[in-house]
Amino acid sequence: GESVGLHLPTLSVQEGDNSIINCAYSNSASDYFIWYKQESGKGPQFIIDIRSNMDKRQGQRVTVLLNKTVKHLSLQIAATQPGDSAVYFCAENIRDSNYQLIWGAGTKLIIKP
Amino acid sequence: DADVTQTPRNRITKTGKRIMLECSQTKGHDRMYWYRQDPGLGLRLIYYSFDVKDINKGEISDGYSVSRQAQAKFSLSLESAIPNQTALYFCATSDIRAGSTDTQYFGPGTRLTVL
């Protein structure tokens, strides 16, 4: 079936370096994509979203890139900090789905001191 | 997000017991959702509601029921809890408006253990 998945379950990054978290999707009818951050013991927190008619969107220290040709989504975190340690989920909202997000399995980001 | 609250935060119960998880929101959103999260996995949708008179099944509704008592309240019930319903449960809300992307805002979660 349609799905959103992640390439890497765990990503270790040196503090201060940039982090890139990847996500692959399979549904061409997606309307927009959202990145969420989930810290230990907490609910997912919205980071940034991007509509399917865009290629790039920037937020504070984060950039999301969308490549519709290869159905790939990435989240770039600049100057990674210890507080960025979390599990990151990409989620997809399919056009005319009327209700729900399709969630990827998540990537755990580990920050090395 | 403090605008979405869940009670209880932790619950241990026995097989066969009826359990109710409560969710309240002060965001004024029309849409509310219940998700389940198992260790190391993503979220799976149990039920969702677009307004007080609207209830819809999600991906894994079997063994669960919901009630949308008011715009701000959405409760999840396990009629007869079983051990494989041990999980982390999240409530979420969203507000679809023209030009928005229906971003969902999550509560802190309820950790449920069924013995």
Side-chain angles (χ1 to χ4, degrees), chain B residues 51-79:
Chain B
D51 63 41
V52 175
K53 298 180 181 178
D54 179 73
I55 299 292
N56 302 281
K57 292 183 177 181
E59 179 186 355
I60 54 166
S61 60
D62 288 347
Y64 302 94
S65 63
V66 291
S67 175
R68 184 80 184 269
Q69 304 94 318
Q71 186 204 38
K73 296 184 181 296
F74 193 36
S75 60
L76 175 72
S77 294
L78 286 67
E79 299 301 327

Side-chain angles (χ1 to χ4, degrees), chain B:
Chain B
D1 190 321
D3 297 323
V4 184
T5 58
Q6 293 182 232
T7 56
R9 294 295 312 280
N10 290 282
R11 181 72 183 267
I12 300 173
T13 190
K14 295 181 179 180
T15 297
K17 295 291 186 180
R18 184 177 187 273
I19 296 297
M20 179 179 287
L21 309 184
E22 307 272 9
C23 177
S24 294
Q25 52 114 347
T26 59
K27 300 183 79 68
H29 290 173
D30 288 326
R31 297 183 171 187
M32 297 187 75
Y33 310 79
W34 274 105
Y35 286 93
R36 166 179 174 159
Q37 186 177 35
D38 293 282
L41 299 179
L43 286 81
R44 291 186 291 169
L45 184 65
I46 306 172
Y47 271 96
Y48 62 101
S49 168
F50 283 176
D51 63 41
V52 175
K53 298 180 181 178
D54 179 73
I55 299 292
N56 302 281
K57 292 183 177 181
E59 179 186 355
I60 54 166
S61 60
D62 288 347
Y64 302 94
S65 63
V66 291
S67 175
R68 184 80 184 269
Q69 304 94 318
Q71 186 204 38
K73 296 184 181 296
F74 193 36
S75 60
L76 175 72
S77 294
L78 286 67
E79 299 301 327
S80 180
I82 56 177
N84 75 1
Q85 291 178 311
T86 294
L88 195 55
Y89 290 84
F90 288 104
C91 174
T93 74
S94 70
D95 182 26
I96 188 71
R97 288 167 291 173
S100 74
T101 57
D102 198 25
T103 298
Q104 294 183 18
Y105 296 88
F106 286 80
T110 294
R111 185 171 298 279
L112 177 66
T113 302
V114 183
L115 302 176

